[in-house]
Amino acid sequence: QVQLQESGPGLVKPSETLSLTCTVSGGSVSSTTYYWSWIRQPPGKGLEWIGYVYYSGSTNYNPSLKSRVTISVDTSKNQFSLKLSSVTAADTAVYYCARGMRKVDYWGQGTLVTVSS
Amino acid sequence: QSALTQPASVSGSPGQSITISCTGTSSDVGGYHYVSWYQQHPGKAPKLMIYDVSNWPSGVSNRFSGSKSGNTASLTISGLQAEDEADYYCSSYTSSNTVIFGGGTKLTVL
């Protein structure tokens, strides 16, 4: 059974960089079959796709976030990571890491990141 | 990219059928056979219910079905049950090799 677990600070100051890591167990980020995605959900609002990374390191991002987002993969640790720079209160959300892109079949439990001074 | 358009809410009585629509453009829903539907209960992570327009992941009830016509995809839930009450989101692959979600639909079982 594939499991994903997000980790990182729950509180980030405005203008700083949000950094989260997703640790995968029961599966491998080195798989050539899957993309690995980050998705977020502001409190009380809908889902927003942030971007994905492939085992090779290739990425693609939501155009509205592209200038601030970096997603990377560490195959040696079976992890992938998200960095979102210059955050504002609008970036407050539950952040999910997930397996897949066109279809997302496994999700982490989500982690709430609050942007506040 | 703008979110796919879903109704904010739908409702139905136990045993009835309901349909949730998801409207996009020819650059996303209409252009590809890659529409997925997710169910989300409060405080929980979303769960994949339908992928590639009309396919079921293992373990998902066949009371859930998907279809597509032109730029609009639909999720139908038949034999509505109390546990179906949740938020539902559609998503689509896009011509930019990205993914876009719908705004979400709250299903109330009366």
Side-chain angles (χ1 to χ4, degrees):
Chain A
Q1 179 77 342
V2 177
Q3 293 185 314
L4 299 96
Q5 178 67 58
E6 305 89 353
S7 59
L11 181 64
V12 180
K13 290 182 168 55
S15 80
E16 295 189 344
T17 296
L18 178 160
S19 295
L20 294 174
T21 295
C22 182
T23 301
V24 179
S25 58
S28 173
V29 298
S30 299
S31 168
T32 58
T33 304
Y34 300 107
Y35 293 87
W36 302 90
S37 292
W38 286 97
I39 296 158
R40 71 179 183 178
Q41 185 172 33
K45 296 188 178 181
L47 301 170
E48 181 179 33
W49 181 77
I50 299 170
Y52 69 73
V53 64
Y54 193 47
Y55 81 100
S56 60
S58 66
T59 57
N60 205 0
Y61 305 130
N62 185 324
S64 67
L65 299 170
K66 189 172 185 175
S67 63
R68 299 194 291 131
V69 173
T70 302
I71 298 176
S72 58
V73 63
D74 186 337
T75 55
S76 67
K77 295 181 179 178
N78 213 29
Q79 296 175 333
F80 61 105
S81 298
L82 167 70
K83 291 187 185 300
L84 181 66
S85 64
S86 304
V87 297
T88 69
D91 295 309
T92 293
V94 174
Y95 285 76
Y96 294 100
C97 62
R99 187 180 83 170
M101 188 258 287
R102 293 194 296 255
K103 68 169 182 175
V104 177
D105 55 0
Y106 288 96
W107 298 68
Q109 65 184 22
T111 186
L112 175 63
V113 178
T114 301
V115 178
S116 175
S117 55
Chain B
Q1 51 188 27
S2 300
L4 305 175
T5 301
Q6 297 181 232
S9 63
V10 298
S11 62
S13 300
Q16 288 186 332
S17 294
I18 63 96
T19 296
I20 300 171
S21 61
C22 170
T23 300
T25 69
S26 58
S27 296
D28 39 65
V29 174
Y32 304 93
H33 210 67
Y34 298 132
V35 175
S36 294
W37 288 92
Y38 301 90
Q39 175 192 65
Q40 186 180 36
H41 287 109
K44 300 294 187 181
K47 175 186 176 183
L48 179 66
M49 305 302 286
I50 294 286
Y51 69 94
D52 293 353
V53 174
S54 59
N55 292 304
W56 292 282
S58 175
V60 171
S61 169
N62 59 9
R63 294 188 300 106
F64 293 82
S65 61
S67 63
K68 190 185 81 163
S69 177
N71 296 336
T72 298
S74 298
L75 173 71
T76 297
I77 309 173
S78 59
L80 210 55
Q81 299 179 1
E83 61 259 34
D84 298 332
E85 184 163 296
D87 294 326
Y88 291 84
Y89 294 90
C90 62
S91 76
S92 176
Y93 178 75
T94 81
S95 58
S96 301
N97 194 27
T98 61
V99 171
I100 187 169
F101 282 98
T105 298
K106 181 177 182 59
L107 168 62
T108 300
V109 180
L110 302 171

